[in-house]
Amino acid sequence: MFTPDEARRFVPRGDGDPRGDVVLAWELLYRLEPELYDRLARAERLHPGVVNWLPSDVDRIAEVGAGTGRLTMELTGRGQQIVAVEPALPLRRILRRKLAAAGHGQRARVIHGFFDQVPLPDDFAGLVVACSAFTPSPGHGGEAGLAEMERVCRPGGRVVIIWPNHLDWLATRGYRYVSFPGPMYVEFGSYQEAAELAEIFYPKAAGEVRRRGSRKVPFDVLGINPPRDLAFKVLPE
């Protein structure tokens, strides 16, 4: 299921139980049911203020933990060259397919890599970003991952963590916080999809989703924070 590099990060003791290990559960999902994950990611849309806040005139952008392109597809209009780094092969395949279908296959490149091992040179990009992927956990970032993102970012550029958690942890490392107001919804393709995916990903809210009978479900009904915020650092010149 995992390559040796993946196993070292996600099951460092050689075993694990996804029923009690959320990180492991998600990593298995990415590899066993990538299309199912992509359906969820497409529904959890970013606040437009987050995308609009990002610089729009960047020569090179590096995205780490790109997944199936929730953010990548938004970045194609904001940089001349985008490199999307993603460890899970099934997610890379989906992202490459999406970029090709949208005509961005030449502008955006999808490569294999990890937060703590980004295969890009020093000072590569004016914007280095992660969306819904970075955490203080070593397997999904941590000190080594943050150092790698900052290494790849050129002086005067921005490192941005979108939909962050552990804000205090980031603040102690020089990151500032921005949040955008307004109601937000998870926008499924249909009510039937909302009911189906709620049973899988938000079982405690599944009854309320069925009762509402709508494809649009407020994030607070599902019990999760909406993707309306970011933490960022401008690297000194």
Side-chain angles (χ1 to χ4, degrees):
M1 182 57 58
F2 292 125
T3 67
D5 274 349
E6 291 171 343
R8 178 168 57 84
R9 289 169 173 86
F10 307 134
V11 282
R13 295 184 302 274
D15 60 1
D17 184 349
R19 293 171 297 183
D21 185 337
V22 173
V23 170
L24 178 58
W26 282 105
E27 292 298 335
L28 290 171
L29 175 70
Y30 301 153
R31 290 158 179 84
L32 291 171
E33 295 282 355
E35 299 287 350
L36 177 63
Y37 165 73
D38 186 49
R39 290 169 63 196
L40 176 67
R42 289 200 307 265
E44 295 176 341
R45 300 178 185 177
L46 300 173
H47 192 295
V50 168
V51 177
N52 291 335
W53 181 93
L54 296 172
S56 59
D57 55 352
V58 186
D59 57 348
R60 289 187 293 205
I61 300 173
E63 181 187 4
V64 189
T68 59
R70 184 203 323 255
L71 176 64
T72 318
M73 304 305 292
E74 304 278 5
L75 294 175
T76 55
R78 310 190 79 82
Q80 298 174 27
Q81 179 186 355
I82 297 97
V83 179
V85 182
E86 169 54 46
L89 176 59
L91 302 191
R92 293 200 303 274
R93 287 172 173 161
I94 292 174
L95 179 51
R96 287 190 181 113
R97 188 173 71 226
K98 287 183 180 180
L99 289 167
H104 300 308
Q106 298 301 315
R107 169 176 281 187
R109 183 162 53 104
V110 183
I111 63 174
H112 175 261
F114 299 91
F115 272 109
D116 64 351
Q117 194 174 11
V118 179
L120 294 172
D122 296 356
D123 305 338
F124 173 79
L127 172 64
V128 181
V129 61
C131 176
S132 184
F134 184 93
T135 77
S137 166
H140 287 92
E143 296 286 1
L146 205 60
E148 272 289 86
M149 293 181 71
E150 293 182 10
R151 177 188 66 77
V152 169
C153 187
R154 69 168 57 103
R158 301 186 201 182
V159 178
V160 183
I161 310 296
I162 294 174
W163 208 357
N165 55 26
H166 300 278
L167 296 175
D168 291 345
W169 188 91
L170 288 167
T172 61
R173 288 151 182 83
Y175 283 73
R176 291 182 280 171
Y177 179 69
V178 180
S179 181
F180 300 90
M184 291 193 68
Y185 302 85
V186 181
E187 299 185 36
F188 299 98
S190 65
Y191 161 67
Q192 290 75 19
E193 182 177 64
E196 177 191 351
L197 295 187
E199 288 285 353
I200 298 170
F201 294 104
Y202 315 106
K204 292 182 180 179
E208 178 62 15
V209 171
R210 290 193 300 271
R211 188 191 69 79
R212 286 171 173 261
S214 172
R215 74 175 189 87
K216 295 177 64 175
V217 183
F219 273 86
D220 57 1
V221 168
L222 301 175
I224 57 175
N225 294 323
R228 65 165 75 250
D229 54 357
L230 58 89
F232 76 98
K233 177 192 277 189
V234 178
L235 296 194
E237 298 192 50

